[in-house]
Amino acid sequence: LHAYGLEDRLNYTIIRPFNFIGRKIDYLPTDTDGVPRVFSYFMEALLNGGEMKLVDGGQQRRCYTYIDDAIDCIQLIVENKDGVCDRQIFNVGSPHNEVSIRGMAELMRDIYARKFMREGQRLPEIVEVSGEEFYGPGYEDSDRRIPDTTKQDALLGCQPRYRMEELLELTMSY
């Protein structure tokens, strides 16, 4: 795409999403569904009493973006005012919402205990498992994924509004 763009043979815009979270984005797992994204996996454990499993200790770091922030940014990209998005690649994300997987599990447990826990309910245990045990042989992961949102900010004037605790609370309430 980029090569054709350089030759003025194709006008394109690429959107690279970074860990969107929000209502109706994911599903709660069942035995037949496979493994959903980490938020849904942890939420299922909070609701139904399973374990919150941390693959390889949960030290991997991710940045999470609330769906409303993502939609706002993508809408500006699609509108493409004055052609500022022509032949651009946008990382759509919230770099200020970086947290380890372990930190996310702990934060979700804290929010759930304060806001949503039912009387007599116990919080799930946080346990460590190997990547091979959780996903199967050949599992590999990156230590850190953080979006460079310079273009999002400079070309679109788009700043994410939702912070980590707020986006988790909104999504958990759904």
Side-chain angles (χ1 to χ4, degrees), residues 32-78:
T32 59
D33 288 337
V35 179
R37 295 175 317 142
V38 68
F39 170 85
S40 295
Y41 187 79
F42 288 165
M43 193 69 214
E44 194 280 331
L46 289 164
L47 290 170
N48 299 316
E51 297 176 328
M52 297 175 89
K53 295 180 181 177
L54 301 179
V55 174
D56 298 330
Q59 299 308 307
Q60 310 88 332
R61 299 187 68 77
R62 303 290 183 265
C63 296
Y64 294 92
T65 307
Y66 191 57
I67 190 63
D68 291 1
D69 283 335
I71 289 169
D72 290 348
C73 184
I74 292 169
Q75 182 175 347
L76 291 171
I77 292 169
V78 170

mmCIF file of all heavy atoms in Angstrom, residues 32-78:
data_model
loop_
_atom_site.group_PDB
_atom_site.id
_atom_site.type_symbol
_atom_site.label_atom_id
_atom_site.label_comp_id
_atom_site.label_asym_id
_atom_site.label_seq_id
_atom_site.Cartn_x
_atom_site.Cartn_y
_atom_site.Cartn_z
ATOM 1 N N THR A 32 -16.427 -23.900 25.457
ATOM 2 C CA THR A 32 -16.311 -24.133 24.014
ATOM 3 C C THR A 32 -15.891 -22.904 23.221
ATOM 4 O O THR A 32 -15.678 -23.001 22.025
ATOM 5 C CB THR A 32 -17.661 -24.630 23.454
ATOM 6 O OG1 THR A 32 -18.653 -23.644 23.719
ATOM 7 C CG2 THR A 32 -18.067 -25.950 24.091
ATOM 8 N N ASP A 33 -15.782 -21.756 23.868
ATOM 9 C CA ASP A 33 -15.520 -20.509 23.148
ATOM 10 C C ASP A 33 -14.056 -20.241 22.823
ATOM 11 O O ASP A 33 -13.766 -19.365 22.043
ATOM 12 C CB ASP A 33 -16.022 -19.311 23.965
ATOM 13 C CG ASP A 33 -17.533 -19.229 23.989
ATOM 14 O OD1 ASP A 33 -18.177 -19.776 23.079
ATOM 15 O OD2 ASP A 33 -18.054 -18.619 24.931
ATOM 16 N N GLY A 34 -13.140 -20.916 23.461
ATOM 17 C CA GLY A 34 -11.745 -20.559 23.320
ATOM 18 C C GLY A 34 -11.382 -19.516 24.355
ATOM 19 O O GLY A 34 -12.078 -19.340 25.345
ATOM 20 N N VAL A 35 -10.318 -18.783 24.116
ATOM 21 C CA VAL A 35 -9.825 -17.813 25.092
ATOM 22 C C VAL A 35 -10.068 -16.398 24.560
ATOM 23 O O VAL A 35 -9.510 -16.014 23.541
ATOM 24 C CB VAL A 35 -8.323 -18.032 25.368
ATOM 25 C CG1 VAL A 35 -7.812 -17.012 26.369
ATOM 26 C CG2 VAL A 35 -8.077 -19.442 25.871
ATOM 27 N N PRO A 36 -10.906 -15.612 25.265
ATOM 28 C CA PRO A 36 -11.138 -14.227 24.831
ATOM 29 C C PRO A 36 -9.972 -13.344 25.252
ATOM 30 O O PRO A 36 -8.992 -13.806 25.828
ATOM 31 C CB PRO A 36 -12.406 -13.846 25.600
ATOM 32 C CG PRO A 36 -12.285 -14.629 26.866
ATOM 33 C CD PRO A 36 -11.638 -15.937 26.478
ATOM 34 N N ARG A 37 -10.131 -12.068 25.012
ATOM 35 C CA ARG A 37 -9.101 -11.122 25.434
ATOM 36 C C ARG A 37 -9.078 -11.038 26.953
ATOM 37 O O ARG A 37 -10.002 -11.457 27.639
ATOM 38 C CB ARG A 37 -9.378 -9.772 24.779
ATOM 39 C CG ARG A 37 -9.216 -9.884 23.272
ATOM 40 C CD ARG A 37 -9.557 -8.666 22.481
ATOM 41 N NE ARG A 37 -10.757 -8.015 22.915
ATOM 42 C CZ ARG A 37 -10.885 -6.688 22.939
ATOM 43 N NH1 ARG A 37 -9.906 -5.921 22.555
ATOM 44 N NH2 ARG A 37 -12.007 -6.140 23.336
ATOM 45 N N VAL A 38 -8.019 -10.469 27.486
ATOM 46 C CA VAL A 38 -7.744 -10.525 28.923
ATOM 47 C C VAL A 38 -8.858 -9.898 29.768
ATOM 48 O O VAL A 38 -9.204 -10.431 30.820
ATOM 49 C CB VAL A 38 -6.362 -9.928 29.251
ATOM 50 C CG1 VAL A 38 -6.319 -8.431 29.016
ATOM 51 C CG2 VAL A 38 -5.937 -10.265 30.655
ATOM 52 N N PHE A 39 -9.426 -8.783 29.345
ATOM 53 C CA PHE A 39 -10.477 -8.168 30.140
ATOM 54 C C PHE A 39 -11.622 -9.148 30.379
ATOM 55 O O PHE A 39 -12.084 -9.331 31.502
ATOM 56 C CB PHE A 39 -11.026 -6.888 29.486
ATOM 57 C CG PHE A 39 -12.263 -6.382 30.177
ATOM 58 C CD1 PHE A 39 -12.154 -5.573 31.294
ATOM 59 C CD2 PHE A 39 -13.529 -6.768 29.762
ATOM 60 C CE1 PHE A 39 -13.285 -5.140 31.978
ATOM 61 C CE2 PHE A 39 -14.666 -6.339 30.429
ATOM 62 C CZ PHE A 39 -14.541 -5.522 31.542
ATOM 63 N N SER A 40 -12.115 -9.764 29.314
ATOM 64 C CA SER A 40 -13.253 -10.682 29.440
ATOM 65 C C SER A 40 -12.900 -11.911 30.258
ATOM 66 O O SER A 40 -13.726 -12.421 31.011
ATOM 67 C CB SER A 40 -13.745 -11.101 28.059
ATOM 68 O OG SER A 40 -14.256 -9.981 27.387
ATOM 69 N N TYR A 41 -11.684 -12.381 30.104
ATOM 70 C CA TYR A 41 -11.245 -13.535 30.875
ATOM 71 C C TYR A 41 -11.257 -13.202 32.373
ATOM 72 O O TYR A 41 -11.766 -13.974 33.192
ATOM 73 C CB TYR A 41 -9.854 -13.963 30.409
ATOM 74 C CG TYR A 41 -9.409 -15.250 31.029
ATOM 75 C CD1 TYR A 41 -9.867 -16.465 30.546
ATOM 76 C CD2 TYR A 41 -8.555 -15.248 32.124
ATOM 77 C CE1 TYR A 41 -9.483 -17.659 31.134
ATOM 78 C CE2 TYR A 41 -8.165 -16.428 32.715
ATOM 79 C CZ TYR A 41 -8.636 -17.628 32.216
ATOM 80 O OH TYR A 41 -8.252 -18.796 32.806
ATOM 81 N N PHE A 42 -10.727 -12.049 32.732
ATOM 82 C CA PHE A 42 -10.722 -11.637 34.139
ATOM 83 C C PHE A 42 -12.140 -11.346 34.638
ATOM 84 O O PHE A 42 -12.489 -11.668 35.767
ATOM 85 C CB PHE A 42 -9.836 -10.407 34.340
ATOM 86 C CG PHE A 42 -8.359 -10.672 34.231
ATOM 87 C CD1 PHE A 42 -7.474 -9.623 34.073
ATOM 88 C CD2 PHE A 42 -7.832 -11.957 34.293
ATOM 89 C CE1 PHE A 42 -6.107 -9.852 33.982
ATOM 90 C CE2 PHE A 42 -6.468 -12.199 34.197
ATOM 91 C CZ PHE A 42 -5.604 -11.134 34.039
ATOM 92 N N MET A 43 -12.973 -10.734 33.796
ATOM 93 C CA MET A 43 -14.342 -10.407 34.209
ATOM 94 C C MET A 43 -15.131 -11.678 34.494
ATOM 95 O O MET A 43 -15.890 -11.733 35.467
ATOM 96 C CB MET A 43 -15.023 -9.574 33.115
ATOM 97 C CG MET A 43 -16.306 -8.930 33.569
ATOM 98 S SD MET A 43 -15.980 -7.632 34.782
ATOM 99 C CE MET A 43 -17.426 -7.818 35.811
ATOM 100 N N GLU A 44 -14.942 -12.684 33.682
ATOM 101 C CA GLU A 44 -15.629 -13.955 33.902
ATOM 102 C C GLU A 44 -15.233 -14.538 35.248
ATOM 103 O O GLU A 44 -16.076 -15.041 35.997
ATOM 104 C CB GLU A 44 -15.318 -14.931 32.760
ATOM 105 C CG GLU A 44 -16.231 -16.136 32.700
ATOM 106 C CD GLU A 44 -15.867 -17.236 33.678
ATOM 107 O OE1 GLU A 44 -14.678 -17.370 34.014
ATOM 108 O OE2 GLU A 44 -16.774 -17.951 34.111
ATOM 109 N N ALA A 45 -13.962 -14.461 35.602
ATOM 110 C CA ALA A 45 -13.488 -14.971 36.894
ATOM 111 C C ALA A 45 -14.120 -14.180 38.043
ATOM 112 O O ALA A 45 -14.501 -14.759 39.061
ATOM 113 C CB ALA A 45 -11.963 -14.908 36.972
ATOM 114 N N LEU A 46 -14.239 -12.878 37.887
ATOM 115 C CA LEU A 46 -14.863 -12.057 38.932
ATOM 116 C C LEU A 46 -16.338 -12.394 39.108
ATOM 117 O O LEU A 46 -16.830 -12.490 40.224
ATOM 118 C CB LEU A 46 -14.701 -10.568 38.601
ATOM 119 C CG LEU A 46 -13.288 -10.016 38.728
ATOM 120 C CD1 LEU A 46 -13.164 -8.670 38.017
ATOM 121 C CD2 LEU A 46 -12.871 -9.907 40.179
ATOM 122 N N LEU A 47 -17.038 -12.588 38.017
ATOM 123 C CA LEU A 47 -18.473 -12.868 38.081
ATOM 124 C C LEU A 47 -18.780 -14.283 38.568
ATOM 125 O O LEU A 47 -19.735 -14.498 39.301
ATOM 126 C CB LEU A 47 -19.116 -12.659 36.709
ATOM 127 C CG LEU A 47 -19.209 -11.220 36.224
ATOM 128 C CD1 LEU A 47 -19.645 -11.185 34.763
ATOM 129 C CD2 LEU A 47 -20.147 -10.415 37.092
ATOM 130 N N ASN A 48 -17.958 -15.243 38.142
ATOM 131 C CA ASN A 48 -18.304 -16.645 38.370
ATOM 132 C C ASN A 48 -17.341 -17.398 39.276
ATOM 133 O O ASN A 48 -17.480 -18.606 39.451
ATOM 134 C CB ASN A 48 -18.442 -17.367 37.028
ATOM 135 C CG ASN A 48 -19.554 -16.749 36.202
ATOM 136 O OD1 ASN A 48 -20.628 -16.464 36.706
ATOM 137 N ND2 ASN A 48 -19.284 -16.510 34.926
ATOM 138 N N GLY A 49 -16.344 -16.714 39.828
ATOM 139 C CA GLY A 49 -15.495 -17.326 40.830
ATOM 140 C C GLY A 49 -14.342 -18.174 40.333
ATOM 141 O O GLY A 49 -13.775 -18.932 41.100
ATOM 142 N N GLY A 50 -13.966 -18.071 39.077
ATOM 143 C CA GLY A 50 -12.801 -18.806 38.587
ATOM 144 C C GLY A 50 -11.516 -18.135 39.015
ATOM 145 O O GLY A 50 -11.516 -17.167 39.782
ATOM 146 N N GLU A 51 -10.420 -18.626 38.523
ATOM 147 C CA GLU A 51 -9.123 -18.028 38.822
ATOM 148 C C GLU A 51 -8.784 -16.963 37.778
ATOM 149 O O GLU A 51 -9.168 -17.076 36.618
ATOM 150 C CB GLU A 51 -8.032 -19.100 38.798
ATOM 151 C CG GLU A 51 -8.187 -20.159 39.839
ATOM 152 C CD GLU A 51 -7.142 -21.257 39.720
ATOM 153 O OE1 GLU A 51 -6.705 -21.548 38.585
ATOM 154 O OE2 GLU A 51 -6.772 -21.810 40.762
ATOM 155 N N MET A 52 -8.061 -15.958 38.223
ATOM 156 C CA MET A 52 -7.523 -14.958 37.304
ATOM 157 C C MET A 52 -6.093 -15.409 37.000
ATOM 158 O O MET A 52 -5.190 -15.218 37.811
ATOM 159 C CB MET A 52 -7.558 -13.567 37.930
ATOM 160 C CG MET A 52 -8.968 -13.097 38.232
ATOM 161 S SD MET A 52 -9.011 -11.502 39.110
ATOM 162 C CE MET A 52 -9.031 -10.364 37.729
ATOM 163 N N LYS A 53 -5.920 -16.047 35.851
ATOM 164 C CA LYS A 53 -4.633 -16.645 35.504
ATOM 165 C C LYS A 53 -3.743 -15.624 34.801
ATOM 166 O O LYS A 53 -4.138 -15.009 33.817
ATOM 167 C CB LYS A 53 -4.844 -17.860 34.612
ATOM 168 C CG LYS A 53 -5.573 -18.974 35.325
ATOM 169 C CD LYS A 53 -5.767 -20.173 34.421
ATOM 170 C CE LYS A 53 -6.530 -21.258 35.160
ATOM 171 N NZ LYS A 53 -6.797 -22.407 34.275
ATOM 172 N N LEU A 54 -2.541 -15.486 35.335
ATOM 173 C CA LEU A 54 -1.543 -14.589 34.762
ATOM 174 C C LEU A 54 -0.533 -15.422 33.990
ATOM 175 O O LEU A 54 0.216 -16.202 34.579
ATOM 176 C CB LEU A 54 -0.831 -13.800 35.854
ATOM 177 C CG LEU A 54 -1.709 -12.936 36.749
ATOM 178 C CD1 LEU A 54 -0.852 -12.240 37.788
ATOM 179 C CD2 LEU A 54 -2.475 -11.921 35.925
ATOM 180 N N VAL A 55 -0.517 -15.260 32.682
ATOM 181 C CA VAL A 55 0.415 -16.000 31.848
ATOM 182 C C VAL A 55 1.823 -15.465 32.084
ATOM 183 O O VAL A 55 2.064 -14.259 31.991
ATOM 184 C CB VAL A 55 0.012 -15.887 30.361
ATOM 185 C CG1 VAL A 55 1.055 -16.543 29.476
ATOM 186 C CG2 VAL A 55 -1.357 -16.515 30.146
ATOM 187 N N ASP A 56 2.718 -16.363 32.434
ATOM 188 C CA ASP A 56 4.127 -16.032 32.678
ATOM 189 C C ASP A 56 4.287 -14.871 33.663
ATOM 190 O O ASP A 56 5.141 -14.000 33.508
ATOM 191 C CB ASP A 56 4.847 -15.747 31.359
ATOM 192 C CG ASP A 56 4.851 -16.955 30.425
ATOM 193 O OD1 ASP A 56 4.834 -18.104 30.929
ATOM 194 O OD2 ASP A 56 4.865 -16.760 29.197
ATOM 195 N N GLY A 57 3.437 -14.847 34.669
ATOM 196 C CA GLY A 57 3.535 -13.865 35.746
ATOM 197 C C GLY A 57 2.801 -12.562 35.509
ATOM 198 O O GLY A 57 2.730 -11.715 36.389
ATOM 199 N N GLY A 58 2.272 -12.341 34.298
ATOM 200 C CA GLY A 58 1.503 -11.130 34.013
ATOM 201 C C GLY A 58 2.335 -9.867 33.955
ATOM 202 O O GLY A 58 1.817 -8.769 34.162
ATOM 203 N N GLN A 59 3.615 -9.979 33.615
ATOM 204 C CA GLN A 59 4.480 -8.798 33.555
ATOM 205 C C GLN A 59 4.375 -8.047 32.224
ATOM 206 O O GLN A 59 4.887 -6.931 32.095
ATOM 207 C CB GLN A 59 5.937 -9.195 33.815
ATOM 208 C CG GLN A 59 6.162 -9.818 35.188
ATOM 209 C CD GLN A 59 5.600 -8.961 36.318
ATOM 210 O OE1 GLN A 59 5.903 -7.778 36.430
ATOM 211 N NE2 GLN A 59 4.754 -9.555 37.150
ATOM 212 N N GLN A 60 3.721 -8.661 31.229
ATOM 213 C CA GLN A 60 3.562 -7.999 29.935
ATOM 214 C C GLN A 60 2.765 -6.713 30.139
ATOM 215 O O GLN A 60 1.821 -6.674 30.896
ATOM 216 C CB GLN A 60 2.803 -8.916 28.943
ATOM 217 C CG GLN A 60 3.335 -10.311 28.833
ATOM 218 C CD GLN A 60 2.733 -11.269 29.854
ATOM 219 O OE1 GLN A 60 2.316 -10.895 30.934
ATOM 220 N NE2 GLN A 60 2.709 -12.540 29.509
ATOM 221 N N ARG A 61 3.157 -5.681 29.412
ATOM 222 C CA ARG A 61 2.509 -4.373 29.575
ATOM 223 C C ARG A 61 1.725 -4.041 28.307
ATOM 224 O O ARG A 61 2.213 -4.244 27.196
ATOM 225 C CB ARG A 61 3.540 -3.299 29.873
ATOM 226 C CG ARG A 61 4.300 -3.608 31.182
ATOM 227 C CD ARG A 61 5.197 -2.482 31.595
ATOM 228 N NE ARG A 61 4.465 -1.301 31.999
ATOM 229 C CZ ARG A 61 3.846 -1.135 33.171
ATOM 230 N NH1 ARG A 61 3.863 -2.103 34.065
ATOM 231 N NH2 ARG A 61 3.224 0.002 33.458
ATOM 232 N N ARG A 62 0.512 -3.505 28.507
ATOM 233 C CA ARG A 62 -0.363 -3.118 27.404
ATOM 234 C C ARG A 62 -0.976 -1.757 27.698
ATOM 235 O O ARG A 62 -1.066 -1.342 28.844
ATOM 236 C CB ARG A 62 -1.502 -4.141 27.213
ATOM 237 C CG ARG A 62 -1.044 -5.564 26.965
ATOM 238 C CD ARG A 62 -0.410 -5.726 25.588
ATOM 239 N NE ARG A 62 -0.032 -7.098 25.335
ATOM 240 C CZ ARG A 62 1.185 -7.598 25.539
ATOM 241 N NH1 ARG A 62 2.148 -6.836 26.021
ATOM 242 N NH2 ARG A 62 1.445 -8.855 25.256
ATOM 243 N N CYS A 63 -1.438 -1.101 26.649
ATOM 244 C CA CYS A 63 -2.156 0.164 26.771
ATOM 245 C C CYS A 63 -3.587 -0.075 26.317
ATOM 246 O O CYS A 63 -3.813 -0.617 25.238
ATOM 247 C CB CYS A 63 -1.518 1.230 25.884
ATOM 248 S SG CYS A 63 0.147 1.643 26.371
ATOM 249 N N TYR A 64 -4.540 0.347 27.124
ATOM 250 C CA TYR A 64 -5.945 0.093 26.842
ATOM 251 C C TYR A 64 -6.666 1.383 26.468
ATOM 252 O O TYR A 64 -6.393 2.444 27.027
ATOM 253 C CB TYR A 64 -6.613 -0.577 28.043
ATOM 254 C CG TYR A 64 -6.033 -1.948 28.261
ATOM 255 C CD1 TYR A 64 -4.955 -2.139 29.114
ATOM 256 C CD2 TYR A 64 -6.528 -3.041 27.560
ATOM 257 C CE1 TYR A 64 -4.391 -3.390 29.276
ATOM 258 C CE2 TYR A 64 -5.968 -4.293 27.726
ATOM 259 C CZ TYR A 64 -4.902 -4.466 28.583
ATOM 260 O OH TYR A 64 -4.334 -5.701 28.728
ATOM 261 N N THR A 65 -7.592 1.269 25.503
ATOM 262 C CA THR A 65 -8.301 2.407 24.952
ATOM 263 C C THR A 65 -9.796 2.163 25.081
ATOM 264 O O THR A 65 -10.296 1.123 24.629
ATOM 265 C CB THR A 65 -7.953 2.578 23.455
ATOM 266 O OG1 THR A 65 -6.532 2.633 23.320
ATOM 267 C CG2 THR A 65 -8.593 3.827 22.872
ATOM 268 N N TYR A 66 -10.514 3.100 25.681
ATOM 269 C CA TYR A 66 -11.959 2.960 25.785
ATOM 270 C C TYR A 66 -12.580 3.117 24.405
ATOM 271 O O TYR A 66 -12.157 3.966 23.614
ATOM 272 C CB TYR A 66 -12.533 3.980 26.765
ATOM 273 C CG TYR A 66 -13.971 3.712 27.115
ATOM 274 C CD1 TYR A 66 -14.354 2.489 27.669
ATOM 275 C CD2 TYR A 66 -14.948 4.653 26.877
ATOM 276 C CE1 TYR A 66 -15.676 2.225 27.979
ATOM 277 C CE2 TYR A 66 -16.270 4.400 27.195
ATOM 278 C CZ TYR A 66 -16.631 3.176 27.744
ATOM 279 O OH TYR A 66 -17.943 2.914 28.039
ATOM 280 N N ILE A 67 -13.590 2.325 24.107
ATOM 281 C CA ILE A 67 -14.187 2.289 22.775
ATOM 282 C C ILE A 67 -14.685 3.660 22.320
ATOM 283 O O ILE A 67 -14.570 3.991 21.132
ATOM 284 C CB ILE A 67 -15.299 1.213 22.695
ATOM 285 C CG1 ILE A 67 -15.752 0.996 21.255
ATOM 286 C CG2 ILE A 67 -16.459 1.542 23.619
ATOM 287 C CD1 ILE A 67 -14.697 0.473 20.329
ATOM 288 N N ASP A 68 -15.199 4.468 23.210
ATOM 289 C CA ASP A 68 -15.673 5.800 22.810
ATOM 290 C C ASP A 68 -14.532 6.667 22.298
ATOM 291 O O ASP A 68 -14.690 7.411 21.321
ATOM 292 C CB ASP A 68 -16.395 6.495 23.963
ATOM 293 C CG ASP A 68 -17.727 5.840 24.309
ATOM 294 O OD1 ASP A 68 -18.096 4.822 23.676
ATOM 295 O OD2 ASP A 68 -18.403 6.350 25.220
ATOM 296 N N ASP A 69 -13.355 6.580 22.935
ATOM 297 C CA ASP A 69 -12.181 7.306 22.448
ATOM 298 C C ASP A 69 -11.757 6.785 21.083
ATOM 299 O O ASP A 69 -11.406 7.561 20.183
ATOM 300 C CB ASP A 69 -11.014 7.171 23.427
ATOM 301 C CG ASP A 69 -11.158 8.051 24.653
ATOM 302 O OD1 ASP A 69 -11.855 9.088 24.581
ATOM 303 O OD2 ASP A 69 -10.559 7.705 25.693
ATOM 304 N N ALA A 70 -11.796 5.475 20.910
ATOM 305 C CA ALA A 70 -11.414 4.868 19.628
ATOM 306 C C ALA A 70 -12.358 5.323 18.519
ATOM 307 O O ALA A 70 -11.912 5.700 17.427
ATOM 308 C CB ALA A 70 -11.414 3.347 19.753
ATOM 309 N N ILE A 71 -13.651 5.306 18.794
ATOM 310 C CA ILE A 71 -14.645 5.714 17.794
ATOM 311 C C ILE A 71 -14.459 7.183 17.424
ATOM 312 O O ILE A 71 -14.521 7.542 16.241
ATOM 313 C CB ILE A 71 -16.071 5.432 18.300
ATOM 314 C CG1 ILE A 71 -16.323 3.922 18.315
ATOM 315 C CG2 ILE A 71 -17.114 6.150 17.443
ATOM 316 C CD1 ILE A 71 -17.586 3.516 19.041
ATOM 317 N N ASP A 72 -14.226 8.033 18.414
ATOM 318 C CA ASP A 72 -14.000 9.459 18.128
ATOM 319 C C ASP A 72 -12.821 9.636 17.166
ATOM 320 O O ASP A 72 -12.900 10.402 16.198
ATOM 321 C CB ASP A 72 -13.729 10.242 19.409
ATOM 322 C CG ASP A 72 -14.956 10.379 20.305
ATOM 323 O OD1 ASP A 72 -16.086 10.074 19.841
ATOM 324 O OD2 ASP A 72 -14.778 10.771 21.479
ATOM 325 N N CYS A 73 -11.737 8.939 17.427
ATOM 326 C CA CYS A 73 -10.542 9.064 16.590
ATOM 327 C C CYS A 73 -10.784 8.488 15.192
ATOM 328 O O CYS A 73 -10.446 9.120 14.183
ATOM 329 C CB CYS A 73 -9.366 8.360 17.268
ATOM 330 S SG CYS A 73 -7.818 8.568 16.368
ATOM 331 N N ILE A 74 -11.383 7.319 15.128
ATOM 332 C CA ILE A 74 -11.638 6.690 13.823
ATOM 333 C C ILE A 74 -12.603 7.538 12.993
ATOM 334 O O ILE A 74 -12.447 7.658 11.774
ATOM 335 C CB ILE A 74 -12.135 5.250 14.006
ATOM 336 C CG1 ILE A 74 -10.988 4.390 14.579
ATOM 337 C CG2 ILE A 74 -12.651 4.668 12.694
ATOM 338 C CD1 ILE A 74 -11.407 3.009 15.052
ATOM 339 N N GLN A 75 -13.578 8.161 13.631
ATOM 340 C CA GLN A 75 -14.495 9.038 12.906
ATOM 341 C C GLN A 75 -13.735 10.194 12.255
ATOM 342 O O GLN A 75 -13.984 10.543 11.100
ATOM 343 C CB GLN A 75 -15.580 9.571 13.834
ATOM 344 C CG GLN A 75 -16.589 10.449 13.108
ATOM 345 C CD GLN A 75 -17.739 10.877 14.007
ATOM 346 O OE1 GLN A 75 -17.930 10.355 15.093
ATOM 347 N NE2 GLN A 75 -18.507 11.843 13.535
ATOM 348 N N LEU A 76 -12.791 10.790 12.984
ATOM 349 C CA LEU A 76 -11.987 11.876 12.408
ATOM 350 C C LEU A 76 -11.133 11.371 11.240
ATOM 351 O O LEU A 76 -10.953 12.083 10.243
ATOM 352 C CB LEU A 76 -11.100 12.499 13.485
ATOM 353 C CG LEU A 76 -11.828 13.301 14.565
ATOM 354 C CD1 LEU A 76 -10.864 13.679 15.688
ATOM 355 C CD2 LEU A 76 -12.499 14.534 13.976
ATOM 356 N N ILE A 77 -10.634 10.157 11.350
ATOM 357 C CA ILE A 77 -9.840 9.579 10.260
ATOM 358 C C ILE A 77 -10.716 9.385 9.025
ATOM 359 O O ILE A 77 -10.332 9.728 7.905
ATOM 360 C CB ILE A 77 -9.185 8.251 10.705
ATOM 361 C CG1 ILE A 77 -8.116 8.525 11.770
ATOM 362 C CG2 ILE A 77 -8.584 7.516 9.511
ATOM 363 C CD1 ILE A 77 -7.589 7.280 12.470
ATOM 364 N N VAL A 78 -11.909 8.832 9.215
ATOM 365 C CA VAL A 78 -12.818 8.590 8.095
ATOM 366 C C VAL A 78 -13.258 9.909 7.459
ATOM 367 O O VAL A 78 -13.317 10.027 6.221
ATOM 368 C CB VAL A 78 -14.041 7.763 8.559
ATOM 369 C CG1 VAL A 78 -15.113 7.701 7.478
ATOM 370 C CG2 VAL A 78 -13.605 6.356 8.953
#
